[in-house]
Each structure stands twice: as structure tokens, then as C-alpha cells.
Amino acid sequence: ISLLQDEHELARIVADMPWSKIDVNGLREQETRIRRQIERIENDPELGQLQTELKQLNQQATAENRNQYQAEDDLDKAQHAVQAEQAWLDAYGNDDFDDATLSSMVSNLLADAYENCFGASVRAQDRPKLIAGLFDHESETPFHTRALRNIVRIARTRIQEIDARSNQLRADTERIMDDYLNNHSTDDNTVMASVEDYRYFLDELDELNMLVTRAATDEEYANSVKKLYMSFQQLNRALRTDEENIKEQLNRINSMLKGQQFGPQGGRLSLDVTFSPIDRQFETTLSRILSKLEDWTRNASDNPTETRNAFNNCETFVNRLHNELDKIHDTNGIKAYGARNLDPRVRSSFYAIVHHDNAPDERISSTGGKSGGALQELTSFVYGAALIYLLGGDLTARPTYTTLFLDEALIKADGRYTKRALAVLPRLGFQIIVSAPESKTAEILNVANRAYVAYKDPSTDNSYLQELDSETITQDETQPTTAPAKPTTEA
């Protein structure tokens, strides 16, 4: 292209130049001089040396440029590795793990599984890059996920091997136990050839050893004091929590009574309880013995003399407990609770509160002086809520199907109380079936969905039911007094 441009430029100059200014011979001489000069320069040995050095320098420059590009690429990868490793450290580097909490077998298994994740071809200096994911290909599972799967696989295989070995040892052991039972055990089947019962065998062995010991050993004294201490602690906790448990049960029952109107003024009924305090001397004695046993546990459990003293110190409080338990009398399977300090029900006093919006609250602590209707409404509320609590399964559900049969339960209640007593039970989720004499049917029919009359024919002694509807009631009311009497009826 340059040659063509030069020729084009020369042609343009020659085209506009007059012939008088063209010195062909001079230009040919000048061309000859220039060619000779070029040949002299090209034949100069120093120029050849310089060209060789230039070629070497160009090759060296090419190699250095290649090294530069490789260094820049290594630098970029190193910076990326540092960033990835720092991100990994920020995410997981603060997690502390105490290897001492694992057994040596488990620790060695995990260490071998972890080492197996790298392979023999990975150099030690490349492990951080592998962990950080620098060697992962696109859409490849991250290294930590692959490592975790490998550890899980190895651990699962090891667990399966241990389970197989355990099952084999279990079968061998139970076979030996069964052979022993066949040869030496009685026919009462009180002992089973099962590894699950191993701890019970050890307990019975300890008890047998104590039975054959003529004198109580120091170990037996220490074991007895420990059991007494645990029992006294359990008793102390029960004394603090039993009252709260009773109040919690009342709260659950009261939650069933919310939204139900009670009494002629439409109040809200709730139940409450008060407890008399535990005997002060009983509490003081329990606190004192617990303090002594706690001091023995901390400082003197290995001292046989102190252990026997601690055991003897428990005698006074144990006798008090025997006196409390002797007050409980069991007659025909019904226990008359008299352990006042042990059972909060003996110290409890229950009462009901009727809350009114526009009147003072009413406290019901006795059923004396109340009519049969008022008592019927009170028992309907209390029994209904209690049955919901017992049958509903929890505090949020009601029985899916629960029927209450009331056999002449409202014969002493007047009409107002009868309606209120029968209205609360269906609202609590019960289906009510009431049997009542004919004199009480008027109040019941006002709240009943269906009514039936039981007829008995005196001539045949046969009875049958007939549904009672409005037409039947109107017909009965409009019949003349001279009409033949119907058979005896009961609603």
C-alpha cells in the first residue's frame, strides 16, 4: 500500500512538471549513489551484529511480556483466593468446637473422613483454595457440601457396622441369658432374657447383696442417705407446686365458663380457692434436714462417721411423715385424706365468684339458704365446665360428641332456673337428654329442640313414644274434659 501511494504521488508530481525540469541522468546518478550507500551499509558487519542483538532483544521482550501477563494473572487469582478465604473465615471462622467432647474413636473417624476429602494429589498449600472453592467448576457442588456428604457417608457406614456388631453381641448375650434362665430360673417368668433389663438386674443384685449382709455397710448407709435426700427434695418441690397446680386446674375450668351468663342478672361465674398455711414446725423441720443433707452431700459424703450421723438425723422428720400418713384412712377403696401438711386439698377452701358489670361481685362460699333451682344452675355450670375440661382433651377443643342424660334432675327447680340451667350445657358443647314428669315439661319445652311423650297402656302394659309437636299440644289443650282419658304419660 505504501509503495502504491508513493508511486501515485510520484506520478502526480511528474504529470505537472515541465520537461525542462526533469534531470533523468542526474536522478539516475543519485539512485546509483544511494544504492551503493545502501549496499555498503548492509555489508557492514557491525550492522549485522546490531540486527542479531535486536532480534534477541525482541525475543526477550516477548518472553518478559508473557511473564508479566502470567504474574498479573497469578496476582489476580491470589487476590481472589484471599477474598474467598476471608469470606469463608468471616462465615465459619468464629465457630468454636471442642474436640475433647468427642470420644477418640469418633474424633479419629471424623479426621480420617476429612482428610479423605482432599485426596493425595492436592498439595498442602492448595487446600485453602480448594476449601474456598477456587477450583470448583461452574454449576459444581461446593467443596464444603461435597466434604460433608463424604463424611456423612463414611460415618453412616461406620454406624451400620457398629449396629451390626451390636445386634450380634446382643443376640449372643440374650442366648446365653436364655440358657441360664432355662436351667436355673423358676417358672414365675419374673426375669426376661432381654438386654433392655440389664440395669434392673444390677439393681436387684445390689439389693440381694444388701440382704445377705448381716451388718449395714458404709456403702448402704451412703446409698440410704442419698435416697432420703432425693425424697425430701421431691417433697419440698411438691409442697411449693401442688397449690399452683390446683389453681392452674381452676383457671382451665374458668376459661370454659367465660362468655356464659349466670344467675338472674346475667353475671359471669368463676371458681377460686384459698389455702391454709402449712404447719410452721413442719416446714422448719424439713428445711433444717435439707440443709444438713446438702452440707453432707458437699463435704462429708465420703466420711462413714458423718454419713451415719446424717442418717440418724433424718429419723425425727421421717417419724413426722409417718404421723401425717397415718391420718389417711382407706375405707372400701375411698381414702379420707387427713395429711394436712402433705395434701393441699385438706387445707383448701373453694368458693365461687359471680361478677356483675353494674353491681358488686357476689361470693358463693356455701350452698345453704339457696333454692333447689339456684343450686341446680350452679351445679350445671360447674359440672359442665369440669366435664368439658376432662373430655375435651385440651383447652382449645370441646368433645366432638358428648351426651348428658339427666333423669328427673330438674324437678325441684322453678321455671327460670330450669331454663338457665339447661341453656348453659348446650352452649358448652353437650347434647342434653332430660326425662321429667309431665308437670315440668312446660319449662323444658321452651328450650328443647325435640320432645317425646312416653305412653303406657294399662290394659296391655305396653309403652311407646310419640313426638310432641305444637299441633299435639294445641289438641290436648282444646280437648273437652268429658273426653276419654289417655293412658298415663311421662315427658
Side-chain angles (χ1 to χ4, degrees), residues 141-374:
T141 305
F143 171 79
H144 66 275
T145 303
R146 302 197 306 270
L148 181 60
R149 291 175 180 174
N150 186 53
I151 294 175
V152 169
R153 179 182 58 80
I154 295 176
R156 183 178 289 113
T157 302
R158 180 61 173 167
I159 291 174
Q160 292 173 352
E161 295 175 354
I162 295 175
D163 287 341
R165 178 60 177 165
S166 175
N167 293 334
Q168 181 64 38
L169 293 176
R170 178 191 183 102
D172 295 341
T173 302
E174 291 184 346
R175 184 176 61 255
I176 296 173
M177 294 168 63
D178 188 62
D179 293 339
Y180 176 83
L181 292 176
N182 292 333
N183 295 327
H184 302 283
S185 178
T186 57
D187 297 331
D188 55 3
N189 295 325
T190 57
V191 181
M192 303 297 294
S194 173
V195 175
E196 302 296 336
D197 294 338
Y198 174 73
R199 60 183 182 274
Y200 302 114
F201 297 154
L202 293 180
D203 294 339
E204 295 212 2
L205 180 61
D206 292 338
E207 294 180 1
L208 289 174
N209 290 333
M210 292 180 181
L211 290 176
V212 299
T213 304
R214 295 183 178 180
T217 62
D218 294 336
E219 181 181 357
E220 184 179 358
Y221 266 104
N223 183 52
S224 299
V225 175
K226 290 179 181 178
K227 290 183 177 180
L228 285 171
Y229 184 38
M230 294 175 60
S231 299
F232 293 161
Q233 284 181 316
Q234 183 178 1
L235 174 61
N236 189 43
R237 287 192 298 268
L239 293 178
R240 297 195 304 269
T241 59
D242 282 349
E243 295 182 3
E244 296 298 327
N245 291 337
I246 293 177
K247 292 181 179 179
E248 182 179 356
Q249 303 299 328
L250 284 182
N251 291 334
R252 294 179 178 179
I253 293 178
N254 288 333
S255 66
M256 301 299 171
L257 299 177
K258 288 183 179 179
Q260 309 298 332
Q261 295 183 352
F262 177 83
Q265 300 181 12
R268 299 180 304 279
L269 182 71
S270 64
L271 304 179
D272 206 342
V273 62
T274 57
F275 299 98
S276 300
I278 300 176
D279 183 64
R280 186 178 183 85
Q281 186 178 4
F282 182 87
E283 284 188 317
T284 303
T285 306
L286 176 59
S287 177
R288 186 182 301 114
I289 192 62
L290 283 175
S291 178
K292 290 182 179 179
L293 294 181
E294 181 179 1
D295 182 68
W296 171 83
T297 302
R298 292 181 177 179
N299 305 316
S301 59
D302 296 332
N303 189 326
T305 302
E306 294 294 333
T307 300
R308 292 174 184 264
N309 292 335
F311 180 81
N312 295 330
N313 290 333
C314 296
E315 182 179 5
T316 302
F317 186 71
V318 171
N319 290 335
R320 289 188 64 92
L321 292 178
H322 279 299
N323 293 334
E324 289 283 338
L325 296 175
D326 289 340
K327 298 177 183 179
I328 301 176
H329 303 287
D330 190 346
T331 304
N332 296 328
I334 301 176
K335 290 184 177 181
Y337 289 95
R340 184 179 184 280
N341 293 317
L342 301 180
D343 194 338
R345 291 172 294 183
V346 182
R347 308 188 311 273
S348 61
S349 176
F350 294 88
Y351 59 92
I353 299 293
V354 185
H355 305 276
H356 300 286
D357 294 334
N358 300 322
D361 291 346
E362 177 185 359
R363 179 187 175 107
I364 303 176
S365 57
S366 173
T367 58
K370 293 188 178 296
S371 65

Side-chain angles (χ1 to χ4, degrees), residues 55-71:
K55 184 178 180 180
Q56 293 176 353
L57 290 175
N58 288 333
Q59 293 177 352
Q60 184 178 357
T62 301
E64 293 299 330
N65 288 334
R66 185 165 54 251
N67 293 335
Q68 179 184 355
Y69 296 148
Q70 183 65 36

Side-chain angles (χ1 to χ4, degrees), residues 475-484:
Q475 182 179 356
D476 291 342
E477 291 177 348
T478 57
Q479 279 183 347
T481 56
T482 58

Side-chain angles (χ1 to χ4, degrees), residues 10-205:
L10 178 61
R12 185 184 61 78
I13 295 174
V14 172
D16 295 336
M17 184 177 295
W19 284 99
S20 59
K21 293 185 178 182
I22 297 176
D23 184 5
V24 177
N25 296 327
L27 291 176
R28 288 177 176 174
E29 292 178 358
Q30 184 179 358
E31 178 186 1
T32 301
R33 287 195 304 270
I34 292 175
R35 288 185 181 277
R36 291 175 180 174
Q37 187 177 359
I38 291 174
E39 292 176 356
R40 186 175 62 254
I41 294 174
E42 289 179 350
N43 294 328
D44 190 354
E46 184 178 357
L47 178 60
Q49 183 179 359
L50 291 176
Q51 289 180 343
T52 302
E53 292 180 359
L54 177 61
K55 184 178 180 180
Q56 293 176 353
L57 290 175
N58 288 333
Q59 293 177 352
Q60 184 178 357
T62 301
E64 293 299 330
N65 288 334
R66 185 165 54 251
N67 293 335
Q68 179 184 355
Y69 296 148
Q70 183 65 36
E72 290 177 351
D73 184 64
D74 292 342
L75 176 60
D76 183 67
K77 291 182 178 179
Q79 291 177 345
H80 181 66
V82 170
Q83 294 174 358
E85 292 169 5
Q86 185 61 47
W88 189 92
L89 290 175
D90 294 339
Y92 307 102
N94 295 327
D95 295 342
D96 295 331
F97 178 75
D98 186 8
D99 187 64
T101 58
L102 300 177
S103 65
S104 59
M105 187 272 290
V106 175
S107 179
N108 294 334
L109 177 65
L110 294 177
D112 294 341
Y114 178 75
E115 291 294 332
N116 196 22
C117 296
F118 295 101
S121 61
V122 179
R123 299 179 301 175
Q125 58 269 28
D126 290 335
R127 285 193 175 189
K129 297 179 182 180
L130 183 64
I131 295 174
L134 296 182
F135 298 154
D136 294 345
H137 300 290
E138 187 177 356
S139 72
E140 185 179 4
T141 305
F143 171 79
H144 66 275
T145 303
R146 302 197 306 270
L148 181 60
R149 291 175 180 174
N150 186 53
I151 294 175
V152 169
R153 179 182 58 80
I154 295 176
R156 183 178 289 113
T157 302
R158 180 61 173 167
I159 291 174
Q160 292 173 352
E161 295 175 354
I162 295 175
D163 287 341
R165 178 60 177 165
S166 175
N167 293 334
Q168 181 64 38
L169 293 176
R170 178 191 183 102
D172 295 341
T173 302
E174 291 184 346
R175 184 176 61 255
I176 296 173
M177 294 168 63
D178 188 62
D179 293 339
Y180 176 83
L181 292 176
N182 292 333
N183 295 327
H184 302 283
S185 178
T186 57
D187 297 331
D188 55 3
N189 295 325
T190 57
V191 181
M192 303 297 294
S194 173
V195 175
E196 302 296 336
D197 294 338
Y198 174 73
R199 60 183 182 274
Y200 302 114
F201 297 154
L202 293 180
D203 294 339
E204 295 212 2
L205 180 61

